[in-house]
Amino acid sequence: MVSGACSASAAEAVTTTVAVNGASIGRTFDWVGAISGGGNSRLLIDYPPAQRAQILDYLFKPNYGAAVQLLKLEIGGDANSTDGAEPSHQHVRGEINCDVGYEFWLGKEAVARNPNIKLVALPWAAPGWIGNGNFWTQDMIDYDISWLDCAKGHGLTISYLGGWNERSHDKTLYKNLRSALNARGYASVQIVGDDSGWDTADDMLADPAFNNAVGVVGSHYPCGYLSDATSCASSANAVATGKPLWASEFGSQDYNSGSVPYIRSITRGYLDGQMTGFMNWPLVAALYPNLPYATVALAVAGSPWSGSYQLGKNLWANAQVAQFTQPGWKFLTGSASGYLGGNRANGSYISLKFTNGTDYSTVYETTGTAAAQTVNVSVASRAPQRSSPERSRARRPQSLPRTYGASWQRRGKRPGGDEQIQRAQWCRSHGHERCAGRVGRRRRRAELGVRDGSDGCSHRAVPRGGSLGHPVRLRSISRCCLR
């Protein structure tokens, strides 16, 4: 599904007007994340503690590195799943060992750094005793639930469960799996269908019971496998389900050179296909360098004996989204999201709004052009929100336009002195002496990062994104002056 008319002519220097309208709300942003599956995380657990902690921080710690928000873990099946076999927790029927492998360990490390991270589980393979070789049986349902029991024993909450990696789907198994999850204490676990293509949506629309069983429609490589991700379609039926649409696996590209399709898969995944969740395969290339995909990941960690590791541009591409928006934010429609100058070659951008109605983020990518792209950003309107009497009295004066806060953040500098004085005078006239007294000091605190002062004011100076894009944090002129 391609949204709107958009040219595909050569890139050119253009000026694009981005009107961020808080009332023009689209789908809900779910997550950007990554996948530990296929044996690619194997060597990470063997790293020296200091270097291992550094790598894990860069992957999972919020506002630090990749800040992964969604982590998919493989349910091991004793069979090669790409770069090795991940061990089964139940080699033979009835003999369960919840301490095998490293996926539970990795999940705990992720949650320790980000308690809000969501976990997904998906089998790539299964032991031969399952259904006497038939995967789509009650044996597999029981096998999956016993793995969930193991995860629960490790203190992990699994929020999503898939059927079988890249093997289409069996409608009866999905329906029975839903019933079994409900009956065995996992009613909150949503089923992802089907980690292959969008055709699962066709069956969902034709079969209400199957539709009810599936909580998320997930497709692999919707922008094309090993492609430049210049377009990323879903399908009309996928959108018609009304369910969240995920690129439940994308990537498979080098940790540095893959950064261009990485960021495009996210921005264009929403613009073209209404996708709201994204998981890169794999999370980390912690495997021997003579194996396939040895540099495919967010980071490369294939040398535990030396402690050496490398962070990729892919990691920072993920950060461009994960550090500027959070699950639950709303995509904005209209000119708030689209293609620069209406031309795919110029680049793409997406805007989102936090549920408090005052915080906005826009992420730009200009990965396909060296031509200068100029963006004029304005906040057109906001959806109505409840206000306290104090907030109602402290209205923004008409002489201070909404676009003023956005423009300095896009350029990476503060407003001029006259504007600072004007803002301070207005704050004092409305009884905000504490805020006004800090205006000068805030102006001097222009280094990068979030500024959360003791006065309750919050500001973000946004770095220039270079070739990976230009994230813009749109805020009120002064949040404390509006309280």
Side-chain angles (χ1 to χ4, degrees):
M1 174 183 171
V2 179
S3 59
C6 183
S7 65
S9 58
E12 57 185 353
V14 298
T15 297
T16 304
T17 297
V18 178
V20 179
N21 186 338
S24 299
I25 295 175
R27 287 182 171 240
T28 301
F29 172 74
D30 290 317
W31 341 83
V32 287
I35 302 167
S36 175
N40 299 70
S41 304
R42 172 61 188 87
L43 298 181
L44 183 56
I45 196 172
D46 296 326
Y47 261 73
Q51 287 77 19
R52 184 176 64 216
Q54 291 169 12
I55 297 168
L56 290 166
D57 283 349
Y58 276 117
L59 293 174
F60 300 116
K61 188 176 178 181
N63 299 316
Y64 188 78
V68 166
Q69 299 165 337
L70 185 68
L71 175 63
K72 182 186 291 186
L73 304 173
E74 178 178 347
I75 298 177
D78 287 339
N80 178 36
S81 51
T82 300
D83 276 312
E86 300 213 10
S88 168
H89 67 286
Q90 195 173 173
H91 295 296
V92 296
R93 189 190 302 273
E95 296 184 8
I96 297 175
N97 181 357
C98 293
D99 295 320
V100 300
Y102 45 85
E103 298 293 3
F104 293 131
W105 165 82
L106 182 61
K108 289 190 289 186
E109 293 292 334
V111 171
R113 286 161 174 80
N114 180 8
N116 293 321
I117 196 171
K118 296 297 182 181
L119 302 179
V120 186
L122 176 68
W124 267 247
W129 62 265
I130 296 288
N132 292 320
N134 181 5
F135 186 96
W136 305 112
T137 60
Q138 184 63 40
D139 279 349
M140 194 61 207
I141 293 174
D142 295 337
Y143 183 81
D144 284 344
I145 292 179
S146 67
W147 189 93
L148 294 179
D149 291 338
C150 286
K152 185 177 181 180
H154 283 281
L156 299 176
T157 299
I158 305 301
S159 298
Y160 302 92
L161 176 64
W164 190 4
N165 184 63
E166 297 179 349
R167 297 296 184 95
S168 191
H169 59 271
D170 180 280
K171 294 191 296 180
T172 300
L173 182 131
Y174 274 68
K175 297 173 191 176
N176 292 340
L177 176 59
R178 178 71 274 161
S179 297
L181 290 171
N182 294 346
R184 296 174 65 174
Y186 295 106
S188 63
V189 177
Q190 295 191 54
I191 297 175
V192 181
D194 61 6
D195 288 300
S196 297
W198 297 118
D199 59 338
T200 186
D202 304 338
D203 286 342
M204 290 170 65
L205 293 182
D207 186 336
F210 180 50
N211 182 67
N212 291 336
V214 176
V216 175
V217 182
S219 178
H220 285 197
Y221 302 94
C223 306
Y225 182 66
L226 301 183
S227 75
D228 291 333
T230 55
S231 63
C232 304
S234 59
S235 72
N237 280 349
V239 175
T241 65
K243 303 293 179 78
L245 308 183
W246 288 4
S248 53
E249 183 175 320
F250 76 97
S252 292
Q253 304 211 38
D254 181 79
Y255 74 126
N256 280 325
S257 63
S259 60
V260 169
Y262 196 113
I263 192 65
R264 286 179 180 169
S265 294
I266 298 171
T267 59
R268 302 182 186 214
Y270 175 73
L271 293 173
D272 295 350
Q274 298 291 290
M275 288 169 252
T276 58
F278 309 86
M279 285 181 280
N280 180 79
W281 183 86
L283 171 74
V284 60
L287 67 164
Y288 296 109
N290 62 327
L291 290 173
Y293 309 104
T295 62
V296 170
L298 306 184
V300 173
S303 183
W305 44 88
S306 70
S308 174
Y309 64 89
Q310 297 83 42
L311 305 178
K313 293 180 181 179
N314 288 356
L315 184 147
W316 300 113
N318 199 85
Q320 296 283 347
V321 180
Q323 290 198 29
F324 292 89
T325 188
Q326 292 295 317
W329 286 45
K330 298 290 186 178
F331 284 98
L332 297 180
T333 59
S335 69
S337 302
Y339 290 92
L340 295 169
N343 185 354
R344 289 175 177 272
N346 292 333
S348 59
Y349 62 97
I350 51 175
S351 296
L352 304 98
K353 182 185 79 168
F354 184 42
T355 53
N356 65 7
T358 60
D359 292 341
Y360 299 81
S361 288
T362 297
V363 181
Y364 296 85
E365 64 86 10
T366 56
T367 54
T369 178
Q373 301 295 317
T374 302
V375 178
N376 294 328
V377 181
S378 64
V379 179
S381 66
R382 292 190 296 191
Q385 57 180 325
R386 291 180 296 179
S387 301
S388 65
E390 179 185 357
R391 183 174 300 223
S392 298
R393 291 193 299 269
R395 295 295 183 186
R396 185 194 317 272
Q398 294 299 317
S399 58
L400 294 182
R402 292 184 186 276
T403 55
Y404 138 99
S407 62
W408 68 258
Q409 288 170 319
R410 178 169 52 81
R411 294 194 306 267
K413 61 183 180 181
R414 298 283 179 177
D418 291 341
E419 292 172 299
Q420 290 282 359
I421 293 171
Q422 185 184 19
R423 186 170 74 177
Q425 290 174 341
W426 185 85
C427 287
R428 289 191 180 97
S429 70
H430 286 76
H432 297 284
E433 290 290 336
R434 186 170 55 176
C435 172
R438 284 174 167 81
V439 168
R441 268 174 282 178
R442 256 189 254 114
R443 187 182 177 194
R444 292 190 294 271
R445 296 189 304 177
E447 57 189 348
L448 299 180
V450 179
R451 304 303 185 222
D452 293 315
S454 60
D455 57 349
C457 304
S458 296
H459 302 278
R460 182 186 289 271
V462 178
R464 299 187 68 85
S467 62
L468 288 182
H470 306 278
V472 178
R473 183 72 165 182
L474 306 181
R475 285 190 179 269
S476 305
I477 295 174
S478 175
R479 289 184 60 188
C480 59
C481 289
L482 293 177
R483 293 181 180 181

